[in-house]
Amino acid sequence: MAVSQSSVFSESARGDAALSQINITPLIDVMLVLLIIFMVISPVVSRSLDAKLPQPSKEAVAPDTRPMQLVAQADGRYRLDGVVHDLGTLGSALVQSAATDPERVLMVSASDDADYQSFANALAAAEDSGVRQIAHGN
């Protein structure tokens, strides 16, 4: 069993060449297993839900979506939707507006020459009256 030197070198050269190629058989096996898993799971995941959506009532009336306008003026008076109030009557007017439509937005703003205290009083009156949605207007 004599082995020549040239055959040993040629064997090792072929072995290196075989190891440098990629063996894709395990990759194909993994891909086929994943494909089978997704084919089994996808019908389970894509089942439908029985949902009952709310139906609109025919007698519902659309609420007034215009916001109420409250403007603090320089003379210490307040204009609520065009009606002039002082600080004492403003609270009752806001309570009445909040009672009729509690979801209506109140836009509070101040005239250009009004001081900050009148604007702060308007905000305090709006919060005390029970208005839920208060915004700052122009």
Side-chain angles (χ1 to χ4, degrees):
M1 222 164 118
V3 178
S4 69
Q5 285 286 9
S6 64
S7 67
V8 172
F9 290 123
S10 64
E11 293 276 332
S12 66
R14 276 189 290 171
D16 289 342
L19 291 177
S20 66
Q21 295 178 357
I22 298 174
N23 188 3
I24 62 169
T25 306
L27 178 66
I28 293 173
D29 291 342
V30 169
M31 294 303 288
L32 287 175
V33 168
L34 288 174
L35 178 67
I36 292 171
I37 289 172
F38 284 125
M39 287 174 56
V40 169
I41 291 177
S42 64
V44 174
V45 174
S46 65
R47 64 179 174 184
S48 64
L49 296 174
D50 294 330
K52 295 182 181 179
L53 299 175
Q55 300 298 321
S57 64
K58 295 181 182 184
E59 58 193 50
V61 178
D64 189 11
T65 57
R66 293 178 299 121
M68 296 182 290
Q69 298 289 331
L70 176 59
V71 180
Q73 298 176 341
D75 59 356
R77 294 186 175 192
Y78 303 93
R79 186 176 300 270
L80 178 64
D81 286 339
V83 180
V84 178
H85 297 279
D86 60 354
L87 190 57
T89 60
L90 178 64
S92 62
L94 286 171
V95 167
Q96 184 180 11
S97 296
T100 57
D101 189 7
E103 296 301 319
R104 193 168 173 197
V105 177
L106 175 67
M107 298 289 286
V108 181
S109 61
S111 62
D112 292 335
D113 52 352
D115 59 347
Y116 181 75
Q117 186 60 45
S118 62
F119 179 74
N121 290 339
L123 283 176
E127 288 179 358
D128 293 340
S129 66
V131 176
R132 293 183 189 160
Q133 298 182 14
I134 302 172
H136 178 272
N138 294 338

